[in-house]
């Protein structure tokens, strides 16, 4: 493949002389480019909505959401998955992130991991991935062999697949049931997809899990009523959620939370 043709590998004319700028000018260039990311994501909202609806259906029927990716893409998937249990009270099994090269790849590069097609299948098999689940492949370039192999395996066993990439007509988009393709353009530093492409990916993953959890009743109004109160900040948040929902005093909210084992949703039900 001619990688130089990928949108994410093009040189950005706005930042060609960034190494000669003042610090403030440098940051303004980065900020101006970042402003384009939300607009690119806006254009793919209909397909994100499709993925949310299917994800909610899968979870409500006992299925699971899996992210798969390499490098920055894989790390973003693991990050989003890891935030679901404390935020929405899900089990760690319901939303999972798989990164090429395993957990060591979260903090350091694993040479050749993104090109290992067989590892993608092995990693999914170890998770007992099946057709009741949904696989969301993440690859800014849309051509990462590890991700493509995982998507192909998921399709082979009858699972729904979603492909997130940031280039036009990508291989990932072509083989996925739902393609989510925000075109974020050339990066400030040529080829550094941890920047705009990574930001777009983070926004999309936030939407996918947040939208899914809202549809599953994990949010009341805009309050995270299934929050896991595992530290002082979250215990205070749970207290304020109870007070906001039922209009009770701080003392009554704390008493209800004590009876419910710190579960805000159960504490709210005590007042009904």
């Amino acid at each position: 493949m001619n990688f130089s043709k990928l949108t994410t590998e093009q040189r950005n004319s706005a930042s060609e002389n960034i190494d000669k700028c003042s610090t403030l000018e440098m940051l303004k260039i980065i900020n101006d480019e970042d402003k384009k990311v939300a607009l690119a994501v806006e254009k793919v909202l209909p397909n994100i909505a499709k993925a949310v609806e299917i994800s909610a259906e899968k979870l409500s029927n006992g299925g699971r959401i899996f992210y798969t990716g390499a490098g920055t893409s894989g790390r973003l998937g693991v990050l989003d998955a890891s935030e679901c249990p404390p935020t929405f009270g899900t089990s760690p099994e319901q939303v999972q992130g798989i990164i090429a090269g395993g957990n060591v790849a979260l903090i350091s590069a694993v040479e050749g991991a993104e090109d290992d097609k067989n590892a993608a299948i092995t990693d999914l098999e170890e998770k007992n991935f099946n057709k009741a689940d949904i696989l969301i492949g993440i690859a800014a370039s849309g051509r990462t062999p590890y991700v493509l192999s995982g998507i192909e395996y998921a399709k082979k066993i009858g699972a729904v697949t979603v492909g997130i990439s940031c280039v036009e007509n990508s291989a990932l988009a072509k083989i996925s049931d739902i393609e989510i393709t925000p075109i974020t353009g050339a990066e400030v530093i040529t080829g550094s997809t941890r920047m705009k492409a990574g930001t777009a990916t983070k926004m999309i993953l936030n939407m996918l899990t947040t939208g899914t959890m809202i549809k599953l009743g994990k949010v009341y109004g805009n309050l995270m009523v299934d929050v896991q109160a595992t530290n002082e900040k979250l215990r205070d948040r749970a207290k304020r959620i109870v007070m906001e929902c039922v209009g009770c005093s701080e003392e009554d909210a704390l008493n209800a939370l004590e009876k419910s084992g710190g579960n805000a949703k159960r504490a709210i039900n005590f007042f009904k």
Side-chain angles (χ1 to χ4, degrees):
M1 180 176 180
N2 188 347
F3 293 99
S4 66
K5 299 297 183 181
L6 294 175
T7 306
T8 52
E9 293 293 327
Q10 302 303 303
R11 287 194 70 187
N12 190 326
S13 60
S15 60
E16 285 181 350
N17 297 309
I18 197 169
D19 60 330
K20 297 179 176 64
C21 293
S22 70
T23 302
L24 183 57
E25 290 170 336
M26 177 198 312
L27 299 181
K28 187 177 186 306
I29 290 170
I30 295 173
N31 183 238
D32 285 343
E33 289 299 307
D34 283 344
K35 291 173 184 176
K36 301 174 183 178
V37 175
L39 297 177
V41 172
E42 181 181 21
K43 293 178 181 178
V44 298
L45 286 177
N47 281 8
I48 298 174
K50 291 178 184 178
V52 167
E53 289 169 355
I54 293 176
S55 295
E57 179 184 344
K58 291 293 184 181
L59 286 187
S60 64
N61 289 319
R64 299 165 296 172
I65 298 171
F66 282 89
Y67 293 128
T68 183
T72 296
S73 296
R75 294 182 190 104
L76 288 170
V78 172
L79 172 63
D80 191 73
S82 69
E83 292 290 349
C84 288
T87 307
F88 301 112
T90 60
S91 73
E93 288 73 34
Q94 285 182 293
V95 185
Q96 300 184 47
I98 303 175
I99 182 170
N103 289 341
V104 66
L106 291 171
I107 57 174
S108 57
V110 177
E111 187 175 350
E114 72 170 53
D115 296 324
D116 193 338
K117 296 181 179 180
N118 293 329
I121 297 171
T122 299
D123 290 345
L124 288 169
E125 288 177 336
E126 288 179 352
K127 297 289 187 179
N128 193 29
F129 180 85
N130 60 80
K131 65 181 181 181
D133 303 321
I134 182 170
L135 183 63
I136 300 172
I138 313 166
S141 67
R143 47 74 48 201
T144 305
Y146 179 90
V147 176
L148 295 178
S149 178
I151 292 293
E152 288 169 349
Y153 172 77
K155 289 178 69 66
K156 183 178 179 180
I157 66 173
V160 176
T161 60
V162 178
I164 301 174
S165 60
C166 295
V167 298
E168 303 91 338
N169 303 312
S170 74
L172 179 57
K174 290 175 183 177
I175 66 172
S176 299
D177 296 315
I178 301 172
E179 66 154 304
I180 300 175
T181 312
I183 305 302
T184 50
E187 297 287 359
V188 170
I189 304 301
T190 306
S192 183
T193 52
R194 71 182 183 86
M195 301 185 76
K196 291 196 296 181
T199 299
T201 298
K202 178 68 166 62
M203 293 173 69
I204 291 166
L205 300 189
N206 281 349
M207 289 182 183
L208 285 172
T209 45
T210 301
T212 297
M213 298 306 165
I214 290 172
K215 293 183 75 67
L216 292 177
K218 298 286 187 179
V219 175
Y220 178 73
N222 62 355
L223 302 173
M224 53 172 76
V225 289
D226 275 325
V227 63
Q228 299 297 291
T230 54
N231 59 43
E232 184 177 356
K233 178 186 73 173
L234 295 180
R235 285 191 289 272
D236 183 74
R237 182 179 299 164
K239 177 194 70 178
R240 288 184 283 108
I241 286 172
V242 175
M243 294 172 65
E244 180 77 20
C245 286
V246 302
C248 68
S249 67
E250 180 178 1
E251 181 180 0
D252 287 342
L254 290 172
N255 287 336
L257 284 166
E258 184 176 357
K259 292 176 184 176
S260 70
N263 185 290
K265 185 180 282 184
R266 286 202 297 267
I268 291 167
N269 286 332
F270 286 142
F271 294 88
K272 293 183 178 180

